[in-house]
Amino acid sequence: MSTKAIRIHAHGGPEVLRWEDMPTPEPGSGEALVHHEAVGLNYIDIYFRAGLYKIPHLPAILGLEGAGVVRAVGEGVTEVAVGDRVAYAGGPIGAYATERVIAADRLVKLPDSIDFATGAAMMLQGMTAQYLIRRTYRVQSGETVLVHAAAGGVGLILCQWAKHLGVRVIGVVSTEAKAELARAHGADHVVVGHQNLAAEVRRITDGAMVPVVYDGVGKDTFLPSLDCLAPLGLMVSYGNASGPVPPVEVGMLAAKGSLFLTRPTLATYTARREDLVAVANDLFAVVASGAVNIRVNQTFPLAEAAAAQEALEARRTTGSTVLIP
């Protein structure tokens, strides 16, 4: 048996992605073989491709998220069984393939009410949104929060989920078209661009500013975001879409109001299986209830992953994108 996969043999641009034949792996102890029905596309895939994030060895198969059916299990597996519909997100990389082996305790059972494309699109972004607003900073009804890239995959989920919890959302986007999309998904106010961001937030909040900023953009928005925080506010820098944040002078946090800064990752928040299952089930519940609608706005064949990554890097995508094997 053989598997098709997108592999990289060196770091670089989209041109390094190659569609290749691979022997189908066999699950070892504690592992499961998953036949993918859909694979998620995420900006972190680009970080790995470019070398911003380290890969243990090359050649390598990219991708951290997928949904499909369990085809085989190894010795000692109790979490899933052959035939189960499953989804996953997080390490290790290897999702850009028709089939892969993965630790069974990293898989969660996908409810029948959620299709594979939605499952693949929602896990990384949806579980990220969950920990951001339920654990990193547990938002409260009546608060106002700032969400960057509000029309992106995580952003649209954050806007909807926060609105569901009674939170007022200020979204930041790059175009007027994306502003409309953010408003349609719960953003109460939308700012296009970040050039005068603090002034806009000051106007919207009558000078109070916000207790938390969720920023997946990185370098370009980091400093403007700090100026949007109220004293003792929390800066949540969870992504680097515009590049990594440069070194931070800690004294600046004091000068701007005794601010807090965190750089969280989904891997840390879901390292224990009980946390992974709890985060996933919370996500499944809000999706099943209709409170959060997962927008799969683009699909590409897995073989065309390079074109999909180019579209994501150029900010030509909205919502979520999935790759179909």
Side-chain angles (χ1 to χ4, degrees), residues 75-86:
E75 183 182 354
V77 170
T78 59
E79 296 87 354
V80 296
V82 173
D84 280 351
R85 304 172 76 252
V86 295

Side-chain angles (χ1 to χ4, degrees), residues 194 215-225 237 239-246:
H194 56 266
D215 187 352
V217 176
K219 176 173 65 72
D220 291 350
T221 53
F222 182 79
L223 290 177
S225 293
S237 179
N240 313 295
S242 67
V245 175

Side-chain angles (χ1 to χ4, degrees), residues 92-297:
I93 59 173
Y96 282 23
T98 54
E99 293 179 306
R100 77 169 297 185
V101 159
I102 189 169
D105 66 1
R106 293 290 88 194
L107 297 171
V108 293
K109 294 182 182 179
L110 188 65
D112 291 338
S113 59
I114 298 175
D115 63 53
F116 289 115
T118 302
M122 71 189 283
M123 294 301 292
L124 193 62
Q125 296 169 346
M127 292 199 299
T128 296
Q130 194 279 344
Y131 84 72
L132 288 174
I133 65 173
R134 306 309 288 150
R135 290 185 66 190
T136 303
Y137 181 92
R138 193 172 179 86
V139 298
Q140 303 295 324
S141 178
E143 287 184 319
T144 301
V145 305
L146 185 69
V147 175
H148 282 282
V154 175
L156 289 179
I157 298 171
L158 280 174
C159 288
Q160 294 175 85
W161 206 329
K163 190 70 171 180
H164 172 63
L165 295 170
V167 174
R168 184 168 68 150
V169 177
I170 303 172
V172 185
V173 298
S174 58
T175 68
E176 287 291 347
K178 291 185 176 183
E180 288 301 313
L181 189 60
R183 290 188 190 99
H185 288 77
D188 299 275
H189 304 273
V190 182
V191 179
V192 179
H194 56 266
Q195 286 72 26
N196 300 303
L197 184 57
E200 283 296 296
V201 171
R202 185 171 291 106
R203 178 186 64 80
I204 292 167
T205 62
D206 294 324
M209 311 311 277
V210 296
V212 63
V213 172
Y214 296 112
D215 187 352
V217 176
K219 176 173 65 72
D220 291 350
T221 53
F222 182 79
L223 290 177
S225 293
L226 293 181
D227 291 331
C228 296
L229 287 165
L232 308 184
L234 174 62
M235 175 66 188
V236 183
S237 179
Y238 70 92
N240 313 295
S242 67
V245 175
V248 176
E249 170 54 53
V250 175
M252 177 173 59
L253 301 176
K256 292 182 179 293
S258 300
L259 303 179
F260 294 86
L261 167 63
T262 185
R263 180 59 174 87
T265 69
L266 178 63
T268 305
Y269 279 86
T270 58
R272 300 188 306 171
R273 176 156 180 85
E274 55 264 43
D275 289 333
L276 171 65
V277 172
V279 170
N281 286 342
D282 196 16
L283 171 63
F284 295 154
V286 293
V287 171
S289 73
V292 172
N293 176 37
I294 305 299
R295 292 285 298 256
V296 181
N297 289 345

